[in-house]
Amino acid sequence: MFARFLPRSPHAEIYTQIRSLLTASIESQYVRVNHDEKSMKFPQIWLRDNCCCPECFHEGTQSRIYKFKVGVRAERVSFSLSICHGGVITQNYYQVQALDDKSVQIEWNDRHTSVYNLKWLGERDFSPENRQKYIDEFYRLKHVFWGKEDFKKECKEFEFDEVMGTNEGLRKWMEALAIYGVALINNSPKEKTTARRLADRVGFIRKTHYGEEFSVMSKPDAKNYAYLSAPLPLHTDLPYYEYKPGLNLLHCFTQSESSGGQSLTADAFYVAERLKQKDPKSYEILTKVPVDWNDIGSEGGGEGFHSIYRSPMINFDADGRYNRINLSIPQRDSHFTVKLEEVIPWYEAYWKLIEILKEETTTFKLKEGQLLTFNNLRVLHGRTGYDDNETNVRHIIGVYLDWDIVYARWRVLKSGK
Ligand SMILES: [Zn+2]
């Protein structure tokens, strides 16, 4: 937003005054744009590559069509603005504001002319603050870590109807998941399609070897450790997939009446952060040494599968932020394809992580109709053992979603498109 009071004076004079606040100039391989009190610097090669004209950019698909060349140089730059836009005369002052149609024009040595809207340029400013803002507020929301003590405060609760029925409800739930990695949804209908409906509200279900929906209940010939009534230690699901599902939506269809069946959860990013402070060497080992994760089985009368993925326990994205934790006792392979001398230090480092994890694990019991939704790349989950009886069989119905789908939807809602 550009807002400034200028002494009331003849039109031409006002123009000159505003003009002096807006400048664009060539500086070696860059173009400098000074606007209000802000100074922005853009590489010429980037500007030419991002020309917005119909010859270089296809509006319908919002895609670049310009074919990048080196050696293109800016020959002339100029600022254009419309004096009539946004000007308000108040007594002795001329208030100029919201000049969104201000633009920088560049004539290139390849006989092309580009026009860049100033607002568009501002959003792509290369300053560290602007880049960080884009990464933390639009690319991927900045995480807020939580330990055992903070869980109640950071695990936000939503109403099923609010998330299903309003875009604001949907957006806020997705934001809570992105920031805290966990959120509860209350008062959902006791229907087997509830978790599916929630996934469909966002986009579409992520299918795995266990189907589109999976029922977690004690099964007589269980093919997966989760399908036993024994305690299920903290883990992330499907660490043996390269494309591990990003979110887990667990609908509590029937809860056990026994004292067991309690949910366990912990923020593994926070646990990793504590390990980094307490024991940097162990932390480094867990970020570097690849572990073999595996799953062998067959489900629903299928052909059978043998999944393997090698990856450290603690992983980062391109900006150095935590983006994936792998942890699962049953699904860690006996194959450990690292150098012999790396094995014992790895176990010792893993034990250090487990010690912190025990301190930061929270326990609560899901109620029927609640959905526990969480980031499967970050939040560990498990449960205490329980006893079914003839009239009460604990039954959780789960589906997965991918972060690509969640974020794609969230950005549209955030932009108000
Ligand atoms: Zn162009």
Side-chain angles (χ1 to χ4, degrees), residues 110-352:
D110 63 353
R111 290 191 293 183
H112 195 76
T113 299
S114 305
V115 178
Y116 304 90
N117 176 279
L118 189 65
K119 184 166 174 277
W120 185 95
L121 282 174
E123 287 165 355
R124 287 155 182 79
D125 177 21
F126 284 87
S127 69
E129 307 76 49
N130 191 57
R131 284 184 284 125
Q132 200 59 47
K133 186 173 151 62
Y134 183 76
I135 291 169
D136 289 341
E137 295 176 19
F138 199 65
Y139 171 55
R140 299 278 160 123
L141 294 172
K142 195 172 178 185
H143 300 129
V144 172
F145 302 144
W146 46 269
K148 185 181 180 177
E149 301 305 318
D150 310 315
F151 175 75
K152 278 207 167 62
K153 180 162 68 83
E154 309 298 29
C155 180
K156 310 295 178 210
E157 298 194 27
F158 298 86
E159 288 296 304
F160 185 78
D161 287 348
E162 174 196 4
V163 173
M164 295 299 289
T166 70
N167 280 344
E168 199 196 356
L170 177 63
R171 179 179 57 78
K172 286 186 173 167
W173 166 61
M174 292 194 284
E175 282 173 4
L177 276 171
I179 295 168
Y180 305 104
V182 64
L184 275 169
I185 296 184
N186 298 323
N187 298 312
S188 71
K190 192 177 170 72
E191 287 161 16
K192 293 196 170 161
T193 54
T194 291
R196 166 181 293 273
R197 281 177 58 206
L198 183 60
D200 288 345
R201 170 84 176 116
V202 177
F204 44 88
I205 282 181
R206 166 67 191 281
K207 194 174 177 180
T208 72
H209 278 110
Y210 293 95
E212 292 196 341
E213 279 154 319
F214 50 93
S215 270
V216 183
M217 57 199 300
S218 180
K219 293 179 188 175
D221 63 337
K223 294 286 198 302
N224 187 292
Y225 198 93
Y227 300 159
L228 303 170
S229 61
L232 184 60
L234 284 169
H235 64 282
T236 61
D237 281 357
L238 301 116
Y240 45 82
Y241 275 6
E242 181 168 1
Y243 306 106
K244 170 162 123 163
L247 296 103
N248 210 324
L249 316 180
L250 297 179
H251 174 213
C252 182
F253 189 80
T254 312
Q255 183 54 283
S256 174
E257 287 163 4
S258 77
S259 59
Q262 306 229 25
S263 296
L264 309 172
T265 191
D267 180 2
F269 290 175
Y270 177 68
V271 171
E273 196 58 21
R274 273 200 58 197
L275 180 67
K276 185 182 175 181
Q277 309 304 329
K278 195 176 169 185
D279 187 342
K281 197 155 181 285
S282 293
Y283 173 82
E284 203 192 327
I285 290 170
L286 297 183
T287 64
K288 297 253 164 69
V289 176
V291 177
D292 299 58
W293 307 98
N294 83 327
D295 191 29
I296 302 172
S298 63
E299 180 74 8
E303 287 293 313
F305 53 85
H306 186 167
S307 301
I308 306 176
Y309 183 58
R310 296 180 71 243
S311 172
M313 271 196 171
I314 304 169
N315 300 274
F316 307 92
D317 69 10
D319 299 298
R321 308 190 297 185
Y322 294 112
N323 79 338
R324 171 169 172 162
I325 301 286
N326 297 307
L327 205 155
S328 174
I329 293 170
Q331 283 149 351
R332 187 158 43 75
D333 205 335
S334 49
H335 287 271
F336 194 1
T337 45
V338 295
K339 286 184 206 149
L340 182 64
E341 58 273 23
E342 287 178 317
V343 175
I344 293 168
W346 181 85
Y347 274 98
E348 286 167 355
Y350 174 33
W351 183 249
K352 295 279 167 51

Side-chain angles (χ1 to χ4, degrees), residues 8-18 82-84 89 94:
R8 191 171 172 180
S9 48
H11 233 73
E13 205 176 301
I14 292 166
Y15 182 86
T16 313
Q17 288 175 40
I18 299 170
S82 161
I83 189 74
C84 303
I89 293 171
Y94 185 89

Side-chain angles (χ1 to χ4, degrees), residues 26 74-78 105-108:
I26 294 171
E75 289 189 327
R76 216 176 336 275
V77 299
S78 57
Q105 182 172 312
I106 303 181
E107 289 166 53
W108 301 99

Side-chain angles (χ1 to χ4, degrees), residues 48 51 53 56 112:
R48 181 66 191 89
C51 175
C53 84
C56 301
H112 195 76

